[in-house]
């Protein structure tokens, strides 16, 4: 029997891969400071979501998803700086992807807390 795909794990992992590509582009442009910050927050979202999959309790699960939600906000800040700074590559695609992930993460938190 094939294991069902966990969409938020998949989406957050794919987003991390996109962040890595974007940060490599920033590195090529010698935009190290924002690139490093974005790389840390962008990849930690998926790490926290993945860790939540093995949570010890419902409270632990929610806590890990709340950490992921905080990392999403952090990432949105760094992407906004990139978007509004001169000579930075477009962030539109990443912004759209993270908005989608944020909606799912928030829904998971709300639904889990209400059970």
């Amino acid at each position: 029997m094939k294991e069902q795909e966990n969409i938020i794990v998949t989406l957050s992992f794919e987003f991390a891969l996109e962040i890595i590509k974007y940060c490599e582009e920033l590195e090529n442009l010698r935009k190290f400071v924002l690139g490093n910050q974005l790389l840390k927050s962008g990849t930690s979202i998926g790490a926290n979501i993945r860790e939540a999959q093995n949570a010890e309790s419902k409270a632990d699960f929610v806590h890990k998803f709340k950490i992921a939600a905080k990392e999403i906000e952090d990432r949105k800040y760094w992407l906004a700086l990139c978007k509004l700074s001169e000579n930075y590559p477009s962030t539109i695609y990443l912004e759209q992807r993270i908005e989608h992930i944020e909606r799912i993460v928030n829904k998971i938190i709300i639904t889990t807390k209400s059970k």
Side-chain angles (χ1 to χ4, degrees), residues 72 96 98-108:
I72 289 170
Q96 292 169 344
I98 199 62
E99 292 295 330
H100 181 63
I101 291 169
E102 182 178 39
R103 284 191 299 275
I104 295 170
V105 165
N106 288 336
K107 181 71 174 170
I108 289 169

Side-chain angles (χ1 to χ4, degrees), residues 13-78:
F13 186 80
E14 290 171 352
F15 179 76
L17 292 173
E18 292 297 325
I19 284 291
I20 290 167
K21 286 181 198 173
Y22 185 80
C23 291
E24 286 173 349
E25 193 175 345
L26 291 181
E27 187 175 307
N28 290 336
L29 295 170
R30 304 186 55 76
K31 312 281 188 191
F32 301 114
V33 175
L34 289 181
N36 288 336
Q37 291 295 332
L38 188 56
L39 184 63
K40 289 176 189 176
S41 63
T43 56
S44 69
I45 295 165
N48 283 295
I49 289 171
R50 195 141 179 189
E51 188 177 335
Q53 305 311 300
N54 293 304
E56 296 176 10
S57 65
K58 183 172 93 168
D60 187 37
F61 179 85
V62 169
H63 175 70
K64 286 176 178 29
F65 264 87
K66 284 184 174 185
I67 293 170
K70 288 179 182 182
E71 292 295 336
I72 289 170
E73 285 302 316
D74 188 51
R75 192 277 328 141
K76 286 169 65 176
Y77 175 78
W78 295 111

Side-chain angles (χ1 to χ4, degrees), residues 76-93:
K76 286 169 65 176
Y77 175 78
W78 295 111
L79 273 181
L81 285 176
C82 291
K83 179 180 181 177
L84 298 173
S85 296
E86 283 189 35
N87 304 315
Y88 276 74
S90 175
T91 60
I92 293 171
Y93 178 70

